[in-house]
């Protein structure tokens, strides 16, 4: 369980979080969505203790983040940063993944098995001997995600995970997110890419200027409501299609959309 209780935070006296309160339960997929500068990354950094609230509290599995070290939280809360170049440093792709596993005390056999598993999963095994900083932007992003997945934290936080990813890798990432939640992991995704999130219908928290404007399942959001429009986000295409066609029910996938279009054409 994660609890944020009336969290306020400022950078150099400039408010960034303005009274955020959230409770996130085991197995939830939560999307923190908002435009650039809305406070998404700052919110994630509060959950793993990198940042401490100016007022209010953040409680992660019963631990007050102001009273525990980041190292104590990191075993249970993994964060994939938005910019891979801030996260990558090792001499090879395989060493990058194994670094945290060594620090957490895994055996050599377990490390080797986990490194191979996650690199295969993210299509990076053939690149295992390459220096991480020589990879493409999309490959770097996948490596950062694989690095966190390797130690299987209870909470996986992804900051703009779709940057640089093609359609196949976006689909693969969606499947991984669903599998994580099915095993009881908490998955928190900070993004403004609602198109990516639409198929999994996550609990969606829309934030603007450090405040939570909306908190509900994505398929239940009125994308033409003033609160959503004020957050400067782009609605998913299927939701816009349904609105244009005058349907009150929004299609959840392409197959449903096709049926709706056929019904509309025959009306």
């Amino acid at each position: 369980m994660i609890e944020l209780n009336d969290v306020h935070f400022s950078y150099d006296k400039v408010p960034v979080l303005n009274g955020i309160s959230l409770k996130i339960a085991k197995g939830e997929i939560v999307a923190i969505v908002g435009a650039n500068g809305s406070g998404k990354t700052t919110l994630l950094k509060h959950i793993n203790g990198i940042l401490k609230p100016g007022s209010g509290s953040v409680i992660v599995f019963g631990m007050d983040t102001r009273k525990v070290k980041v190292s104590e939280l990191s075993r249970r809360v993994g964060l994939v940063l938005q910019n891979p170049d801030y996260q990558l440093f090792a001499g090879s792709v395989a060493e990058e993944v194994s670094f945290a596993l060594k620090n957490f005390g895994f055996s050599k056999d377990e490390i080797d098995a986990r490194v191979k598993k996650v690199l295969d999963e993210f299509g990076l095994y053939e690149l295992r001997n390459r220096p991480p900083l020589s990879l493409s932007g999309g490959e770097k992003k996948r490596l950062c995600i694989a690095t966190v997945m390797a130690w299987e934290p209870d909470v996986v936080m992804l900051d703009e995970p779709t940057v640089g990813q093609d359609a196949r890798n976006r689909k693969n990432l969606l499947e991984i997110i669903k599998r994580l939640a099915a095993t009881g992991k908490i998955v928190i995704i900070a993004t403004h890419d609602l198109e990516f999130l639409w198929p999994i219908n996550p609990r969606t928290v829309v934030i603007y200027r450090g405040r939570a404007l909306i908190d509900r399942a994505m398929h239940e959001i009125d994308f033409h409501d003033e609160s959503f429009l004020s957050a400067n986000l782009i609605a998913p295409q299927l939701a816009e299609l349904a609105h244009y066609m005058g349907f009150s029910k929004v299609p959840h996938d392409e197959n449903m959309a096709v049926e709706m279009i056929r019904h509309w054409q025959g009306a």
Side-chain angles (χ1 to χ4, degrees), residues 96-236:
E96 192 74 52
V97 177
S98 66
F99 179 80
L101 298 175
K102 292 175 181 176
N103 283 345
F104 289 139
F106 288 91
S107 69
K108 184 180 184 307
D109 288 345
E110 182 69 12
I111 290 172
D112 291 343
R114 287 181 178 238
V115 168
K116 185 177 189 309
K117 179 176 180 289
V118 296
L119 292 183
D120 276 336
E121 195 167 31
F122 285 91
L124 296 169
Y125 187 71
E126 298 302 318
L127 305 176
R128 62 190 180 280
N129 295 319
R130 286 264 302 273
L133 296 181
S134 73
L135 304 181
S136 71
E139 289 166 344
K140 288 178 183 177
K141 191 73 175 184
R142 297 205 305 278
L143 175 57
C144 290
I145 298 171
T147 299
V148 170
M149 297 293 191
W151 78 77
E152 300 179 354
D154 297 311
V155 182
V156 177
M157 301 194 297
L158 307 171
D159 195 352
E160 300 292 358
T162 60
V163 173
Q165 302 307 310
D166 60 23
R168 183 187 62 171
N169 286 307
R170 286 165 65 97
K171 184 177 181 180
N172 183 48
L173 181 56
L174 274 181
E175 293 304 314
I176 290 169
I177 289 169
K178 288 189 284 188
R179 289 203 303 270
L180 287 170
T183 62
K185 306 287 188 185
I186 292 173
V187 183
I188 304 174
I189 308 158
T191 186
H192 56 263
D193 186 355
L194 274 64
E195 201 70 53
F196 169 72
L197 298 168
W198 183 256
I200 54 176
N201 188 30
R203 174 186 171 189
T204 304
V205 180
V206 179
I207 65 173
Y208 177 65
R209 294 184 177 176
R211 296 182 183 276
L213 303 182
I214 298 170
D215 183 354
R216 63 177 66 113
M218 180 168 285
H219 293 171
E220 297 174 2
I221 293 175
D222 178 358
F223 295 105
H224 294 85
D225 178 80
E226 184 177 343
S227 293
F228 178 81
L229 294 174
S230 68
N232 297 318
L233 293 165
I234 298 174

